[in-house]
Amino acid sequence: MNRKNIAIFASGSGTNAENIIKYFAAGDTVRVAVVLSNRQSAGVHARAERLGTPSFTFGNAEFRDGTAILSVLAEYKADLIVLAGFMSLVSPAIIDAYEGRIINIHPALLPRHGGKGMYGRRVHDEVVAEKETETGISIHYVNERYDEGQIIFQAKCEVLPGDTAEDVEKKVHLLEYRHFPAVIEELLS
């Protein structure tokens, strides 16, 4: 059986990327082959280096054009692109080349609390402000619009009346860490 290769796109600290890399490290059927970021200072680079996974930074213009990104994806034989805290739209060139093979995780139950500018603590602040009784995660395919691709998987958690945005964030992170790698594995099997 041929091993499947994942490319992770990340813009931030890289906690989800680290969790995914560790999840697949022990197996021989799937591995994270490369991490790409649009921020040189992103914490994901240190995490990837510590775990022995190559990581590269490209400017936003290079991500928009897609040519250099597609070259690296080809070099590392990426079968699936996983967005793990990647804060930019994926270029049409990359979407065309990897149609149906790019997924993202969003820290809410889409279609609620999605779209441009809705990421991280902003999402949790809105969930609390709107007095939601539940929230969760959505794993979805990526298209040319923020958070509008077909939903693959959702998991829920309760939002209690006294919960702060930080409390909600902790609950949602637990769902991300538990479910994201397993959904990726299922998609690649």
Side-chain angles (χ1 to χ4, degrees), residues 142-161:
V142 172
N143 63 20
E144 51 286 327
R145 292 175 303 282
Y146 286 108
D147 302 324
E148 291 186 19
Q150 178 189 345
I151 294 172
I152 301 164
F153 175 86
Q154 290 183 313
K156 298 176 182 179
C157 61
E158 188 176 20
V159 179
L160 300 172

Side-chain angles (χ1 to χ4, degrees), residues 8-139:
I8 294 179
F9 288 10
S11 298
S13 69
T15 56
N16 266 313
E18 178 175 1
N19 187 49
I20 294 164
I21 293 167
K22 286 180 174 178
Y23 182 90
F24 291 110
D28 59 358
T29 58
V30 177
R31 74 174 177 135
V32 176
V34 67
V35 173
L36 303 179
S37 180
N38 59 340
R39 292 184 54 231
Q40 184 66 46
S41 62
V44 71
H45 294 297
R47 292 178 192 272
E49 182 179 358
R50 190 173 70 249
L51 296 168
T53 302
S55 69
F56 302 96
T57 302
F58 291 92
N60 287 324
E62 291 170 300
F63 269 101
R64 278 191 301 275
D65 173 70
T67 305
I69 308 304
L70 287 169
S71 177
V72 171
L73 294 172
E75 179 184 345
Y76 284 90
K77 298 176 175 48
D79 297 294
L80 181 72
I81 299 171
V82 174
L83 308 188
F86 186 68
M87 301 303 159
S88 295
L89 278 176
V90 177
S91 79
I94 297 170
I95 289 172
D96 288 348
Y98 279 83
E99 186 174 350
R101 297 185 296 146
I102 307 172
I103 64 170
N104 182 42
I105 190 165
H106 184 76
L109 298 172
L110 292 172
R112 296 192 49 74
H113 311 294
K116 185 174 175 65
M118 291 304 296
Y119 57 87
R121 185 60 66 86
R122 294 175 183 187
V123 174
H124 309 307
D125 285 339
E126 193 171 280
V127 165
V128 170
E130 292 187 13
K131 298 182 179 3
E132 299 277 358
T133 58
E134 68 180 9
T135 189
I137 61 168
S138 300
I139 299 170

Side-chain angles (χ1 to χ4, degrees), residues 158-176:
E158 188 176 20
V159 179
L160 300 172
D163 279 351
T164 65
E166 186 177 76
D167 296 328
V168 172
E169 184 175 47
K170 288 177 184 172
K171 293 177 185 183
V172 168
H173 277 312
L174 290 174
L175 292 175
E176 290 174 346

